[in-house]
Structure formats: structure tokens, C-alpha cells
Amino acid sequence: MSVQELVVRRGRRSGVTTMVAVHSRTLGPAVGGCRFKVYPRIDDAIGDVLRLSAAMTRKCAVAGLDFGGGKSVVALDAVPTAEQRREILLDHADLIESLDGAYLAGPDVGTGPEDMLVLSERTPHVFCLPEEHGGTGSSSGPTAVGVLAALRAGARAVFGDHDMKGRRVVISGYGSVGAHLAADLVEQGAKVTVSDVDERRLAAAGEQGLGVARPEEVLGIEADVLIPAAVGGVFGPGTEVAAPLVVGPANNQLTDDMVAEDLAAKGVLWIPDFVASAGGVVYTLGREAERLTHAAALARVETLEETTRRLLDAASANGTTPLAEADALAEARLTSGAGPRTPSPREPRTAA
């Protein structure tokens, strides 16, 4: 599943390099978030956009969506001013528009609904505009719902039930999704500790009665569940993890797919990130492409529990890993092809 198209362009307004990777359109137009981030080198940004677009292909295929995988990156060399940010986003929107609907953008690290609104000034191929502008707004809530659905399946496999009361949970990353997860798990009776590189977020977590830890400490904390909700590349060869269950929304958590086997050999159940993190895209596409109600779209997100359970059952029966089974499911769907394509944002729907 090699990348179909990579376009890298220097913006005419801002001079900043932006890029789009379309990994697959086998099942439909490519969807994926727009990452707005400072990179040491352009090659680092290109590597990131390629990895992330491939993960989106797997995410959409496993979740049963009629969309392919893509991603876009704004490769910053410094944090821009508000005026510069707008110029950069408009340049990026021009790049997205030049692809003529092959890639549909949404928020990602460093961007949100207001940024999608700026993009929409130059291209209609955008998801998650603010609700007052006709979009679904932030997808962090539905993403958290999907993580919790996958967590329930994982907890039953590891602990025999999904009851979180008294369970020790460590969340690495206390951003919007991490905060949703912490609140939900505390409500379920879990003992939650969070970490983040942002001291203000840690202070806020402490004020809310959560345990706090330094980012470098999280892998060694004795816990029942570890939730990676920040950056990728968390687990490499030889990484030691003190929790028996790992499930979270951070993208590209493994430095290499072979690490999944290493974790399994150490007795750690790692649920693939592209499975656990699919709630946001499932919800958004349900609402904006299929015009589902809020309740119906959330119900679809909840089906990630059953998807995860099936993957875990298959891994147990076949003596493989959940990653191997998820990849097999994705490959089977990509090989069989798509059914009728789901309409894209702003595409008129005709009556049957």
C-alpha cells in the first residue's frame, strides 16, 4: 500500500512549505487531518505525512468507511503570528483545492475548527467547521468515545470485565481528547494519573484532583491501563511498559510494526492506535457525509467496541497480534474494493 501522491509546495503568500499525501483512494476520496507543527527539517515533515496518511488508510478500512487515507502537514520552522497563520492556512487551502477533491481535510495536531473555517475560504474539501458555520466542530469528544469503546473490549480480554472502578489508569497527554478520557474514567471510578509537557495542563489536572506525572515517568508507572494520547513513536524495540493494557488515540505509537510482537511477548495487550482512535473520523463522516443525527453517529462510534473484540478474538485464536489481525482486515477490505461511495462534504444528496 504505497503512497499514490505526495505534493509539496511553498506557499505564495507565506513562503511556508505545506504538503499533502494521498495514500489510498481505493475505497473513496482520501481523508485525514491537517497537522500544523514545527519540524527540524523538511524531510521530517515528509516522513510524518507519509506515515500518517498510511495510518489513515488502515483506520478508514478497519472502521468500514468508504474513504481512503490521506494527511496534510504545514511544516513550520517557527511559531507564526496570527496574521502569518492565516496566510499559511490560505496557502495550504490552495494546495488542497488543487487536488480537486482527492483529499478532504480535517483538524489534527495544531489545528482546530476555526482553522478549518479559514481553509474553507479557498476550498470546500474541509470537515469539522465550527457548528455555527454548519460543521460538527471539534471531534475530540467522539474520539474519546471511540477510545473508551476499544478500552472496554481490551479490559474484558485482560481483566475479565470492563468495570473501571478502582482501576489505575495513566493518560499520557492531557489535551482535549485526554481531558475527555480522564473525566469519563473518573466518573467510572478509575484512579487516573495524567502527564503532559505543558505545565499549565498539569496544574489544571492537579486542581481537578487527578494524579500528575512527568512524561518520562509514564511507561514505568504501575497501572492497569496506559492511554497514549500525545505524540507518536512511544514504543520501540526493548521498551518496557508497566501496564498490561495499552489503548489510546495517539497516532503511530510504534516506531516499527514489529514492536507489536515485542509487547505481546512481554504480556502487554496493545490495541492498534488506528483502531482505538477512529471515533473522531467515524463520527465526523457520519454527520457531515451521510447526514446522520448526533445520536446515530455516536452509536456508530460505539461499534468500535465490537470491532476491537473481533480483532482480539482473532488474535487469540490465531496466535497473532491485534495489529496483524487489523492489518489483515484492512487488506481484505482494500482488496475487495468499495461499495457505493459516501458523498463528500457539501456534495448534494439526491433522493432515492
Side-chain angles (χ1 to χ4, degrees):
M1 294 190 292
S2 60
V3 67
Q4 287 190 346
E5 187 172 12
L6 171 66
V7 183
V8 182
R9 182 181 297 174
R10 187 177 295 277
R12 65 179 178 84
R13 300 173 185 83
S14 65
V16 170
T17 300
T18 75
M19 60 193 71
V20 173
V22 175
H23 182 266
S24 173
R25 290 195 288 161
T26 299
L27 300 176
V31 296
C34 167
R35 182 160 291 201
F36 201 88
K37 181 181 173 183
V38 175
Y39 289 88
R41 302 176 305 146
I42 290 297
D43 286 350
D44 295 318
I46 290 173
D48 209 17
V49 79
L50 293 176
R51 287 189 297 271
L52 291 165
S53 66
M56 282 303 302
T57 294
R58 297 198 288 186
K59 181 182 295 188
C60 290
V62 171
L65 300 172
D66 290 337
F67 287 85
K71 208 75 174 184
S72 64
V73 158
V74 174
L76 302 171
D77 54 17
V79 178
T81 65
E83 183 177 348
Q84 290 169 334
R85 184 184 184 92
R86 175 175 170 79
E87 291 180 345
I88 294 167
L89 288 167
L90 290 174
D91 284 337
H92 193 50
D94 287 341
L95 174 55
I96 294 169
E97 179 61 16
S98 73
L99 297 177
D100 196 28
Y103 165 70
L104 312 172
D108 195 71
V109 173
T111 60
E114 293 298 332
D115 298 308
M116 298 305 101
L117 186 60
V118 176
L119 294 181
S120 74
E121 295 178 24
R122 303 290 301 174
T123 178
H125 305 302
V126 183
F127 287 111
C128 293
L129 270 62
E131 292 184 46
E132 61 270 25
H133 291 276
T136 52
S138 172
S139 62
S140 58
T143 299
V145 171
V147 173
L148 292 171
L151 173 57
R152 288 194 295 274
R156 277 196 299 273
V158 174
F159 309 121
D161 62 61
H162 65 260
D163 186 3
M164 285 291 108
K165 187 173 182 180
R167 296 282 180 202
R168 295 163 298 171
V169 180
V170 176
I171 302 175
S172 177
Y174 194 59
S176 55
V177 178
H180 276 293
L181 290 168
D184 285 338
L185 288 165
V186 167
E187 187 174 347
Q188 294 179 42
K191 300 173 182 178
V192 178
T193 297
V194 303
S195 75
D196 201 281
V197 296
D198 190 326
E199 293 291 345
R200 294 170 298 180
R201 290 177 178 174
L202 280 184
E207 291 171 0
Q208 293 165 22
L210 301 175
V212 297
R214 311 302 305 172
E216 62 271 18
E217 298 172 340
V218 295
L219 296 183
I221 297 175
E222 294 287 341
D224 297 300
V225 183
L226 172 62
I227 300 179
V231 297
V234 180
F235 308 108
T239 299
E240 297 293 334
V241 182
L245 174 60
V246 178
V247 51
N251 292 313
N252 293 335
Q253 294 170 21
L254 307 184
T255 59
D256 184 274
D257 282 356
M258 293 300 294
V259 176
E261 296 183 15
D262 294 341
L263 291 172
K266 295 173 181 176
V268 177
L269 178 61
W270 179 76
I271 294 177
D273 41 35
F274 59 87
V275 177
S277 65
V281 69
V282 169
Y283 177 85
T284 298
L285 294 176
R287 292 293 310 278
E288 298 195 26
E290 296 187 59
R291 307 297 188 262
L292 297 181
T293 64
H294 169 73
L298 273 187
R300 185 170 292 180
V301 173
E302 295 284 5
T303 65
L304 292 174
E305 179 178 355
E306 175 61 17
T307 299
T308 305
R309 185 194 64 77
R310 288 166 47 205
L311 294 173
L312 298 183
D313 286 349
S316 178
N318 297 330
T320 59
T321 65
L323 176 60
E325 296 300 333
D327 278 344
L329 176 58
E331 188 62 35
R333 187 151 191 264
L334 289 164
T335 301
S336 67
R341 186 175 64 80
T342 306
S344 300
R346 306 191 189 182
E347 204 172 298
R349 292 180 63 87
T350 56

